Structures are given as C-alpha cells and as structure tokens.
Amino acid sequence: MKRFGWYRRLDAWRRRKGLRRLSPFETITMVVLIALSVFMLLPIVYIFNHAFKPYQELFIYPPTILVREPSFQNFLELLATTKTTAIPVTRYLFNSVVVTVLAVFLITMTSAMCAYAISKHKFPGHKFIFGTILLTLVFVPETVEIPKYLVVSKLHIFDTYWGHVLPLVAVPTGVFLMKQFIDQLPDELLDSARMDGARELVLFTRIVIPMLMPAVATIGIIAFDSAWKNSETSTLYMQEEAMRTFPFYVETLTSGMANSVARQGAAAAAALLLFLPNLIMFLVFQSKVIATMAHSGIK
C-alpha cells in the first residue's frame, strides 16, 4: 500500500489546485512531448559536458554525452593558445562583443524605421520597394558578396568596426516581421498624436517602438546570432589581426595542425563560449519570440 502513497498525495494536490485528471490520450501526449523535449536537449547537454572533458574523454570510443571527470583544462588551454602571439584571445572576444552590440542596435533600428516608412507612409512606389525587399529573400548570401565587398572598399572601412557591422545591417526578414506588426497599429492613434503636435520622431520612439517590442526582441535575437557567430567579415574585410573576431579565431584553432588531436580541448571550450550567449538570449526573450510567431500584434 505504501507504493501508492505518492499517487494519493498527487491526487490530493491536484484536487486542492482544482486540476482535472488527464485523459489517457492527454497522458500519452504529455509523455511523448516530454520524451521529445529530453531528446532535443541532448545536444545542449553534450556541448556543456564536452567543454569540460579532459583529453582522455574527448577521444573515447564510443563517445559519451556526460563527462566523468570534469576539468577546466580546456579553458586554460584556450587562454594559453595566444600567450606566444601578439593578440590575446580576450581581444578577439572584445571585438565580437563590440561588433555584436552595434549590429543588434543598427539592425533592429534600421528594420523598424524601414518598416514604419513603408507601412504608415504611403509614398509612391512603397509597394515596389517592399516587394524588392521580399525578393532578396530568395537570393543566397554568396550572390551579394562581391557587391558588399565593393561597398566596403568604396567607403574605406577596412580594418574598422564599421567594416564588420555595415555588411550585416540589411536584414529583409526583420523588415518583413516589423511591417506585419506596424500594419496592425491603428492609423487613428498616430493621427491623434499628430494633432497633439507630436513629430515623427516622437511617434516612432514613444508609440511605434513600444508596440513593436515582441518583434524587436525577435529581430534582436536573429541579429545577435548572425553577428556573434559571423567570421565572414573578419576573413574578407580585415587584414589586421587585432580587428578580427572570436569566431574567426575559433576557426583557426585546429586548422593547419599536424594532427587531429592538437587543440581539440581548446576548440571544445571555444564552442561552448560561442553557444552560451545565444542560449541566454533566447531564454531571456523567448516569450517575445513566441508572441511574434503567433502574430499577436495589437490587442
């Protein structure tokens, strides 16, 4: 009888909370969803454990998900890899932080301003411009590499932070999502604010932007992900090593090595450092992302 004590306590707790008993179908569905959630968490668990594995566990066969003897040796190795060079690993991390912050701000603001102009200011050709922006979604990134390189060259922003940021600013997905939200903003609300003497900058910053926060959070996550893990700008537009970012450094950790074992521990630690900020950003703003995907808009 003691075996069923936990079930009685669970049933009593359910009654106190006013929860109804799940049907067999709901119970099976819940079990399946929990199993799928655990399965989808395995890569995240693996990344965290892999970063703390000593070398004897990194190459064990068959590979294991959980670490047996955790160690910080991989992170110490990552810091030690640049001791004999002029550029420390902290410089690469600093560059990545600066580039990511600038890119997130510029991408979200540019997307919001472009979407606001197209949605609420019916200037001649606004539909054509919006259609052109949507058309760019069908092009693969490689098709615009030469035009971007020419723009960076003409602006003379090689080996600068702007050379990292400006090639990332144009995000058609951001304009599209922002416009869907602004379309739901009542024109009467903006007209009444204009009658009270509000200028366009006031309308945009105090009325439009607060209404766009779910979309702003979503575009911010997309921008953060693309800027934080981007190594393309370091490869194409940066000749000075001191201006390159952390993802570029991670790519060079194991390249050119005489064997496939050297620096694998440092690479595992670096992979965790690249992944962790994206995970934190999504966990913090996941409610806003869900609101955007559900097209909640103005209630």
Side-chain angles (χ1 to χ4, degrees):
M1 297 296 292
K2 292 183 179 180
R3 293 185 306 173
F4 301 100
W6 66 270
Y7 182 79
R8 294 194 182 95
R9 290 194 296 270
L10 177 62
D11 189 61
W13 175 82
R14 186 189 296 116
R15 291 178 181 177
R16 288 198 304 270
K17 298 296 182 179
L19 302 176
R20 64 180 181 85
R21 183 173 298 179
L22 297 177
S23 65
F25 176 76
E26 291 174 332
T27 303
I28 294 174
T29 302
M30 182 179 66
V31 170
V32 171
L33 291 177
I34 292 175
L36 288 175
S37 301
V38 172
F39 179 76
M40 295 177 68
L41 282 174
L42 288 179
I44 299 177
V45 175
Y46 178 81
I47 290 176
F48 275 90
N49 283 267
H50 195 65
F52 293 96
K53 288 180 180 179
Y55 264 86
Q56 60 268 24
E57 293 187 38
L58 285 174
F59 300 96
I60 193 174
Y61 185 83
T64 59
I65 295 179
L66 300 179
V67 58
R68 299 172 184 174
E69 299 177 2
S71 172
F72 287 95
Q73 185 60 39
N74 294 337
F75 294 92
L76 296 177
E77 181 185 357
L78 177 63
L79 293 175
T81 52
T82 55
K83 281 187 176 180
T84 58
T85 62
I87 310 300
V89 66
T90 51
R91 174 66 185 189
Y92 297 105
L93 284 170
F94 175 78
N95 291 340
S96 288
V97 171
V98 173
V99 170
T100 302
V101 171
L102 288 174
V104 170
F105 175 77
L106 290 177
I107 289 172
T108 52
M109 292 304 298
T110 302
S111 299
M113 289 188 292
C114 181
Y116 175 65
I118 293 175
S119 177
K120 295 304 180 183
H121 294 270
K122 308 299 184 181
F123 56 89
H126 70 279
K127 292 184 178 179
F128 174 77
I129 293 177
F130 184 62
T132 304
I133 293 174
L134 294 182
L135 183 63
T136 60
L137 292 172
V138 305
F139 293 103
V140 296
E142 289 75 13
T143 59
V144 295
E145 291 303 328
I146 294 178
K148 286 197 296 185
Y149 185 89
L150 293 176
V151 170
V152 173
S153 176
K154 294 295 183 181
L155 293 176
H156 303 288
I157 54 176
F158 287 111
D159 295 320
T160 65
Y161 288 122
W162 292 115
H164 283 290
V165 175
L166 289 184
L168 305 176
V169 168
V171 181
T173 306
V175 178
F176 174 76
L177 289 177
M178 294 284 191
K179 184 179 181 301
Q180 303 313 304
F181 267 73
I182 298 177
D183 284 344
Q184 300 177 65
L185 186 65
D187 293 333
E188 292 78 8
L189 179 62
L190 300 178
D191 292 337
S192 61
R194 290 190 182 97
M195 292 178 63
D196 291 337
R199 297 178 179 272
E200 288 298 326
L201 182 61
V202 175
L203 291 176
F204 181 73
T205 56
R206 297 190 179 183
I207 297 179
V208 177
I209 290 296
M211 296 293 185
L212 287 178
M213 287 314 297
V216 168
T218 303
I219 300 307
I221 292 176
I222 296 174
F224 183 92
D225 178 71
S226 62
W228 177 254
K229 67 181 184 181
N230 180 271
S231 63
E232 175 187 291
T233 54
S234 295
T235 304
L236 298 178
Y237 314 130
M238 304 296 139
Q239 283 77 43
E240 294 183 10
E241 192 68 23
M243 289 304 301
R244 287 171 171 164
T245 55
F246 187 65
F248 175 85
Y249 171 70
V250 172
E251 290 182 359
T252 62
L253 272 176
T254 57
S255 62
M257 295 290 101
N259 57 71
S260 59
V261 177
R263 293 185 180 178
Q264 289 298 327
L272 177 61
L273 292 179
L274 277 178
F275 169 75
L276 194 58
N278 283 325
L279 177 63
I280 295 174
M281 282 286 293
F282 180 78
L283 292 178
V284 171
F285 297 106
Q286 62 173 328
S287 61
K288 302 293 185 182
V289 176
I290 294 173
T292 303
M293 295 300 106
H295 302 285
S296 58
I298 310 301
K299 300 297 182 184

